[in-house]
Amino acid sequence: LQQRRGFRLSAPAAIQVTVRDALNQALDEELERDERVFLLGEEVAQYDGAYKISRGLWKKYGDKRVIDTPISEMGFTGIAVGAAMVWLRPVCEFMTFNFSMQAIDQVINSAAKTCYMSAGSIAVPIVFRGPNGASAGVAAQHSQCFAAWYGHCPGLKVVSPWSSEDAKGLLKASIRDDNPVVMLENELLYGVPFEMSEQAQSKDFIVPIGKAKVERPGTHITLVSHSRPVGHCLEAAAVLAKEGVECEVINLRTIRPMDVETVEASVVKTNHLVTVEGGWPQFGVGAEICARIMEGSAFNYLDAPAVRVTGADVPMPYAKILEDNCIPQVKDIIFAVKKTLNI
């Protein structure tokens, strides 16, 4: 009506928000929304979090809602799982997911399996979150991607955000979910700013768990990725577009349950598939995507074998030049695309 009367409506106000601040907003909004939500982990309270994700929350909500724990993942994860069993909603932070192996019995045998083993009478609404995968210069024991590990386990939901909207929306959805959710973030993305839409700035904004997003439409080949490599895929797509190759880039966002339908629809359109991930190749996320396409109707539309771009099949080296060669780079994606398209 205003447009008909000659008024010009302004476009929705989008702002730049880092992934760190998006996660902080999500935690703040959910702590405020539901008094059952609380945060615990190493240095999350008085120090504001090892990566400043929980900045300001201890001062705002106090000791009962934001809890510093000893350096004992098995202990504080067990406390969090027990609290979830009596319908509190803990957010359990691992300083990195490499340390979650200290508590993997609690995550899998206690959190993931309890709802099934109790015939649905005991839910475990808990979020396990923290940085996952390779960072920079932290060597083999701090550089693993656990997407395939946790994505393998029934009873868990596993999400892996890329952008600030992903991070905020998926964390809010995970906290509100009645199932245990593993949220695999990326340390190297924490300080990266992304555009956040007016809708995403709302306290009611969530990203549905189990729904992928087409970040860039294309017609010649499908690139499927999650977390930081989504950005590499978009960079590769921009380079290839100058050579006349239009890549469709899919941001999985959720590892389990996996949105195979979106991938299948894209493959039917493009007839080619490349998967990209930072984890190891054997039994990886890309291997699962390829198997699903192989077993489904979209296989009949493939004009070439699917190709995986993964991390190298070695423990992560410490030296930077070796580290760079162990992690998928933009040039590796471009090479895989050209190999698949035979150009």
Side-chain angles (χ1 to χ4, degrees), residues 113-123:
K113 298 176 181 176
T114 292
C115 186
Y116 177 84
M117 294 180 70
S118 66
S121 63
I122 302 175

Side-chain angles (χ1 to χ4, degrees), residues 14-25 163-165 168 189-197 201:
I15 59 173
Q16 292 282 317
V17 178
T18 65
V19 171
R20 174 182 288 108
D21 288 341
L23 291 166
N24 181 265
Q25 286 175 25
S163 67
S164 297
E165 286 197 8
K168 181 180 180 180
L189 288 175
Y190 282 155
V192 177
F194 290 88
E195 189 173 275
M196 184 174 281
S197 66
Q201 297 168 45

Side-chain angles (χ1 to χ4, degrees), residues 267 270-273 290 293-294 297-306:
V267 170
T270 68
N271 311 118
H272 300 89
L273 173 65
C290 292
I293 295 300
M294 176 83 175
S297 58
F299 172 74
N300 298 312
Y301 291 84
L302 281 176
D303 288 342

